[in-house]
Amino acid sequence: MTTISRGSLTIPTSEWGASNPLPNIFGTGDIHSQSGFEDAAEEQGLADVSVEEQASRGQTALPYLDQDGYLAAEQPQEHATMVLENAHLTATFLPGLGGRLWSLVDRTTGRELLHQNDAIRFRNLALRNAWFAGGVEWNIGMIGHSPFTSSPVHVAALTGPDGEVGLRFFEYERIRNVTFRVDAWLPDDSHELVIRGTILNAQPDATPMYWWSNMAVPQTEGTRVLAPAASAWKYGAERVLSTVGVPLADGVDITWPGRTVETVDYFFDTAGTRMPWIAAVDDDGFGLVQASTANLKGRKLFVWGQDPGGRHWQEWVSGADSYCEIQAGLARTQLEYLRMPADTAWSWVEAYGALQLDASVARSADWATATGAVAQNLADRGLAERLERFRERDQSGELIVELIPDGSGWGAIENELRSRAGLAPFPAELTPFPQGAVGAGSETGTGPEVDSETGYWERLLRGEPMSTVEQDPANPPLSYQIDRRWVPFLRQRDDWLASLHLGVIAAAQGAYADAGAYWQASVDAAPNAWALRNLAALADDRGNTAEAVAFYRSAHELAAGLLPLTRELLGALRRAGHHADVLALVESLDSEQRNDGRVLVAEARAALATGDVDRCRGILDRDIEVLDLREGDALLEDLWNEYQAAAGASRAPLPRAYDFRM
């Protein structure tokens, strides 16, 4: 009999520091958004969604704020869990961290099917910065790791038409203005955890859409990844797609992750497969298999690689235990979006379970033999038919029996906004967004969300005055919007905060001249660091370095204790060639800011620029740790090379602490 239970997991977790109140207007982007994949628009029916629009939307996570306030220190922390269990599997989810499937244990063997990190160790790989390795995460909307991967989502306990029990994780996604839900079912005698994903676009316009289920699995020398494909698209260090054979590419068998040298993605071409699947098995032929209905057609293998930079990245995110990722998505690759029509719901069904192959078959050099064994195993289970029946099942027979409202209040806000526009709310029987939900982050420590992040927008909708905290321009806004539906409400107010928000919405629409005018109006109404900083970022983006520096200085005078603002000012001073000013600013900082990794890099570069090579060397000898180093960022390698060139001595190899080359 399947049971649902609530519990907790205590695991070392990165400490949260102060979150970043500065909107990421221009973004840092995901490395996958840089290739273009220019045939996506035509192939996927994106006639009215240009490649340029896709790329621009992939550069920033607005309206979400960056989650970059985590610290290097890790402390034991208790995380709430939801557990589904039957006689064959135990599935453990983390609702406070995006509803991630953290553990899937095969009860017959007692073995874990997923990679579990030794800690929840936040690193800068997600749309909002903070990401951690392990388990299965659900990525929606934008190229990259989900806005919710390190934030709480709503949870509901379900009962099915035959009395079976399940779980629903759901949220409202504010970039695409859609709701999504992940339903987890574990029928009484099932050897597979069944996941049904659903996205609802209830708006009158089409939108680009993206979904990838990202599975971390253990990687050893004997790990092999199998998929029903004879070719794949490769995306590596060159950051362009190329087509390769499977399993052999340039004479190398790419299906053994532990033997792959470079950091690389392989997107398997599963076209024509009735039930796409992917599996990762060990030396004994045992491991995880994931299969789905045909509409979740993409399959991917990601490996960090065995070169020094890849190994360092692996340890940076996961400690001593190696892992690789196998993934499943709606599109062929992660470099493209699908066009999701207006007033449309998309659903697909996935299965996760243990796979046991004959070891010699799993290792066979004959690709057809190895993959055929998996296909036969899944056929013997009747899995394709079961998944299709589940996809076609009438969801009206699935009832919510308990709501655990730990997610955000944005779904309820959107329902109120829709009501004022004469639109129906989201179906309460599917996604019952509770009024007053605030997110569990501030209560459990699992994220940097704050209780009142929706408060301003609630008062704005209802014509209520700003709170005392909001009236004070020394306090940053706790949240932002990018949807133009908020413009009429904001225009009813004539204050510094409304102008600030109007500017952010204008910038999100690409109307930068209007944005600048709004931000200047905000400063004129009440000098505030937030509008001044946005004016600085806008000037910097336009190449007006002198103007950017002036605005940044003014902003920093009003909020000198804000580390993200200090970092941005240091960057602007460097780009303007004011290296002595960089050093003067660094020397004025308190010890916490001065010892920040990015501040140390700025100091080292300024020391080089002013001829103080010894000062730079002294900083480099400290093994600078840039905790939020972005995937693909050559910051530390560049600094080392600049130092080597300035030192004039014979070149020393890049120290391992700085080797993040991919």
Side-chain angles (χ1 to χ4, degrees):
M1 180 178 177
T2 303
T3 61
I4 295 177
S5 60
R6 300 175 67 173
S8 64
L9 168 71
T10 299
I11 185 172
T13 302
S14 297
E15 293 184 16
W16 282 110
S19 58
N20 192 341
L22 305 178
N24 194 341
I25 298 167
F26 299 103
T28 52
D30 181 272
I31 62 171
H32 294 91
S33 67
Q34 298 178 22
S35 77
F37 202 15
E38 295 178 358
D39 66 338
E42 180 178 352
E43 172 114 0
Q44 303 295 350
L46 289 166
D48 58 345
V49 182
S50 69
V51 172
E52 290 76 14
E53 181 186 7
Q54 293 183 46
S56 67
R57 295 195 185 196
Q59 294 303 303
T60 173
L62 275 176
Y64 304 99
L65 291 172
D66 283 351
Q67 298 174 309
D68 61 359
Y70 48 89
L71 307 178
E74 297 168 3
Q75 297 293 334
Q77 182 174 305
E78 186 175 340
H79 298 269
T81 61
M82 298 294 296
V83 180
L84 270 178
E85 185 172 69
N86 69 4
H88 307 293
L89 290 171
T90 300
T92 302
F93 298 85
L94 299 177
L97 292 167
R100 185 174 299 207
L101 173 60
W102 182 245
S103 170
L104 186 62
V105 174
D106 175 50
R107 291 170 60 84
T108 302
T109 62
R111 297 176 65 176
E112 174 64 60
L113 299 177
L114 301 171
H115 166 71
Q116 287 187 321
N117 240 14
D118 61 346
I120 293 177
R121 182 175 296 113
F122 294 116
R123 295 292 184 258
N124 184 8
L125 278 82
L127 284 168
R128 300 174 64 187
N129 189 311
W131 177 88
F132 62 102
V136 184
E137 66 173 324
W138 322 108
N139 297 308
I140 183 173
M142 302 283 287
I143 291 174
H145 295 280
S146 169
F148 302 101
T149 197
S150 298
S151 296
V153 294
H154 295 288
V155 190
L158 305 174
T159 182
D162 297 321
E164 65 271 36
V165 296
L167 292 169
R168 173 167 295 165
F169 304 92
F170 65 98
E171 254 298 356
Y172 172 64
E173 200 289 291
R174 294 194 292 145
I175 298 174
R176 301 304 190 203
N177 290 335
V178 299
T179 65
F180 74 93
R181 56 188 190 269
V182 174
D183 294 348
W185 299 90
L186 189 56
D188 285 349
D189 197 37
S190 177
H191 289 263
E192 300 89 22
L193 173 69
V194 178
I195 297 290
R196 182 180 57 221
T198 304
I199 303 170
L200 173 64
N201 178 18
Q203 57 191 326
D205 300 308
T207 185
M209 190 46 61
Y210 172 98
W211 180 279
W212 283 79
S213 302
N214 181 3
M215 300 151 256
V217 292
Q219 176 185 299
T220 66
E221 180 67 22
T223 299
R224 194 178 196 192
V225 171
L226 304 168
S231 64
W233 292 281
K234 176 186 176 183
Y235 188 73
E238 66 281 0
R239 299 191 185 178
V240 294
L241 281 179
S242 59
T243 303
V244 298
V246 176
L248 296 178
D250 298 323
V252 177
D253 190 329
I254 64 174
T255 65
W256 301 89
R259 306 174 190 176
T260 300
V261 175
E262 63 179 316
T263 304
V264 64
D265 299 324
Y266 291 108
F267 298 99
F268 297 109
D269 184 357
T270 65
T273 305
R274 178 190 177 195
M275 183 182 66
W277 54 265
I278 191 166
V281 295
D282 61 16
D283 279 319
D284 298 326
F286 180 85
L288 173 74
V289 63
Q290 184 270 359
S292 73
T293 50
N295 53 342
L296 194 73
K297 63 184 176 183
R299 290 298 184 276
K300 171 187 167 181
L301 164 64
F302 166 76
V303 294
W304 284 112
Q306 299 301 314
D307 62 8
R311 290 301 310 159
H312 193 191
W313 264 110
Q314 178 97 195
E315 295 171 11
W316 181 241
V317 301
S318 66
D321 295 331
S322 295
Y323 77 98
C324 61
E325 293 173 359
I326 55 176
Q327 304 189 25
L330 287 173
R332 300 167 300 174
T333 76
Q334 290 174 336
L335 284 68
E336 55 193 319
Y337 294 110
L338 300 181
R339 179 183 183 273
M340 188 172 190
D343 297 315
T344 298
W346 284 350
S347 288
W348 62 92
V349 180
E350 307 175 54
Y352 294 79
L355 175 69
Q356 179 66 69
L357 301 177
D358 180 272
S360 64
V361 172
R363 295 195 297 266
S364 176
D366 186 328
W367 184 240
T369 297
T371 57
V374 181
Q376 186 61 54
N377 181 289
L378 299 179
D380 292 344
R381 304 186 195 194
L383 191 57
E385 293 78 13
R386 286 191 284 127
L387 292 184
E388 199 57 43
R389 285 197 301 271
F390 201 95
R391 189 176 74 87
E392 294 173 353
R393 186 166 90 171
D394 183 1
Q395 296 186 35
S396 65
E398 301 171 0
L399 303 177
I400 293 176
V401 295
E402 181 184 6
L403 178 64
I404 305 167
D406 283 344
S408 76
W410 292 114
I413 294 289
E414 176 63 17
N415 274 336
E416 188 168 344
L417 189 62
R418 291 174 63 85
S419 175
R420 290 175 178 270
L423 300 174
F426 298 124
E429 69 276 13
L430 298 175
T431 50
F433 293 111
Q435 293 285 343
V438 297
S442 59
E443 300 168 357
T444 67
T446 59
E449 324 306 326
V450 288
D451 287 0
S452 57
E453 67 174 1
T454 59
Y456 175 80
W457 306 98
E458 293 172 356
R459 289 185 284 276
L460 188 66
L461 277 175
R462 299 163 190 170
E464 298 170 0
M466 289 192 295
S467 69
T468 302
V469 171
E470 290 163 348
Q471 292 174 19
D472 186 351
N475 299 317
L478 298 175
S479 58
Y480 289 91
Q481 299 286 357
I482 60 172
D483 194 320
R484 291 196 58 81
R485 291 177 299 165
W486 289 99
V487 169
F489 298 97
L490 289 165
R491 284 180 173 165
Q492 293 175 11
R493 299 195 172 184
D494 184 21
D495 56 60
W496 73 273
L497 187 52
S499 294
L500 177 69
H501 282 302
L502 285 166
V504 171
I505 293 173
Q509 306 297 322
Y512 296 117
D514 292 342
Y518 281 125
W519 291 329
Q520 187 59 60
S522 176
V523 174
D524 292 343
N528 66 91
W530 328 115
L532 285 165
R533 176 269 181 179
N534 292 350
L535 287 168
L538 180 59
D540 208 15
D541 183 71
R542 291 174 168 178
N544 299 331
T545 54
E547 185 178 84
V549 166
F551 279 128
Y552 269 125
R553 286 187 188 277
S554 297
H556 197 257
E557 288 175 2
L558 296 174
L562 183 60
L563 176 58
L565 185 56
T566 298
R567 290 171 170 174
E568 291 188 18
L569 172 56
L570 288 168
L573 289 170
R574 177 178 181 271
R575 288 186 290 277
H578 299 332
H579 305 296
D581 290 348
V582 168
L583 296 176
L585 175 57
V586 167
E587 288 162 4
S588 73
L589 300 175
D590 61 34
S591 60
E592 181 178 352
Q593 288 202 33
R594 184 161 184 175
N595 288 310
D596 171 71
R598 291 193 179 272
V599 171
L600 289 170
V601 169
E603 180 183 0
R605 281 184 150 172
L608 283 181
T610 56
D612 195 342
V613 177
D614 290 339
R615 180 172 180 174
C616 177
R617 178 69 203 209
I619 296 169
L620 285 168
D621 284 344
R622 296 174 57 178
D623 286 349
I624 306 169
E625 185 177 61
V626 179
L627 195 61
D628 66 337
L629 191 71
R630 188 72 177 174
E631 183 181 8
D633 190 343
L635 175 68
L636 296 172
E637 179 187 1
D638 290 346
L639 173 59
W640 178 259
N641 290 337
E642 291 164 12
Y643 162 74
Q644 290 285 299
S650 59
R651 287 189 173 269
L654 182 66
R656 190 174 187 281
Y658 301 144
D659 192 349
F660 289 93
R661 293 172 293 184
M662 299 177 66

